[in-house]
Amino acid sequence: MVHLYWHKRRSTDQLSRNVEALAAITRDFNAGCEFEGDQQVSSDELLHYMIVQRKTGRWVRLGDRVLHRGPRPVLTAEDIITLINVAHEMAVREDVSCCRFMFEPDLREELREHFARQSRKLVPGTELVDALISLRKDGLLPRLHGPTGPGIAADGEDTAFGDMDQVA
């Protein structure tokens, strides 16, 4: 899986909005693994795995190899405030971090719907998530979880993907 990720040269943040690259990694990963029956790993599961590994310091860094990220979504200052408020409301209500929006389509859709209702603008969920991630990386959003977020035990050990670690 690391080889496939390295070959695509897209960061995990970019993969959340680059459906084609993530689908190619998922397809190639599933083709190279032996599963029982028709079982396969979904793109969302694979992305979730990569993000958890990255957060625990066990994922390869692309560094200068990463392909250019491209332009950030164009949102007005008012849109950004609305997005932050919507994301914060969901975070408090459902214990949702920014990264979970990347690999949980239902949460991404809920974010998009709440944003559309409050801003009266239709913006794809992937662009909203990209904006949230950019804000977080720029230090403009508070962290909801410390190093013991979802899927990570108090000792920093990954608890969500024990069997996938064996395949990867």
Side-chain angles (χ1 to χ4, degrees):
M1 181 179 3
V2 171
H3 175 73
L4 297 172
Y5 173 77
W6 186 259
H7 178 72
K8 285 295 177 194
R9 298 176 48 198
R10 299 283 182 186
S11 69
T12 53
D13 295 343
Q14 290 174 331
L15 287 175
S16 69
R17 59 188 167 95
N18 188 328
V19 178
E20 296 84 20
L22 181 58
I25 290 173
T26 304
R27 183 188 61 246
D28 293 345
F29 178 77
N30 283 323
C33 296
E34 293 183 24
F35 295 108
E36 294 180 17
D38 293 335
Q39 181 184 8
Q40 295 209 331
V41 175
S42 72
S43 294
D44 292 331
E45 290 170 323
L46 209 58
L47 182 60
H48 186 197
Y49 175 79
M50 287 187 256
I51 290 169
V52 169
Q53 293 301 303
R54 185 192 73 211
K55 286 185 169 192
T56 57
R58 293 180 277 178
W59 193 246
V60 63
R61 293 179 180 262
L62 294 174
D64 293 339
R65 285 189 43 84
V66 71
L67 290 178
H68 179 60
R69 193 183 148 100
R72 290 185 177 181
V74 179
L75 297 174
T76 66
E78 187 176 314
D79 293 339
I80 290 171
I81 291 169
T82 301
L83 178 60
I84 290 170
N85 289 336
V86 167
H88 181 71
E89 176 186 309
M90 289 180 69
V92 170
R93 186 179 70 238
E94 300 181 36
D95 192 30
V96 176
S97 66
C98 285
C99 289
R100 284 192 49 206
F101 289 117
M102 286 195 300
F103 48 80
E104 293 188 30
D106 294 341
L107 287 174
R108 194 169 45 245
E109 180 61 18
E110 185 179 345
L111 176 71
R112 188 197 63 74
E113 288 174 2
H114 286 302
F115 179 82
R117 270 196 304 275
Q118 291 188 21
S119 69
R120 300 183 191 273
K121 291 184 177 182
L122 296 176
V123 178
T126 53
E127 287 187 30
L128 295 175
V129 172
D130 188 44
L132 280 175
I133 298 296
S134 295
L135 289 167
R136 190 198 72 218
K137 287 190 171 196
D138 291 342
L140 300 173
L141 287 180
R143 290 184 66 160
L144 295 175
H145 298 288
T148 58
I152 304 170
D155 62 0
E157 192 63 31
D158 176 7
T159 60
F161 301 103
D163 55 344
M164 190 180 286
D165 283 333
Q166 295 169 2
V167 175

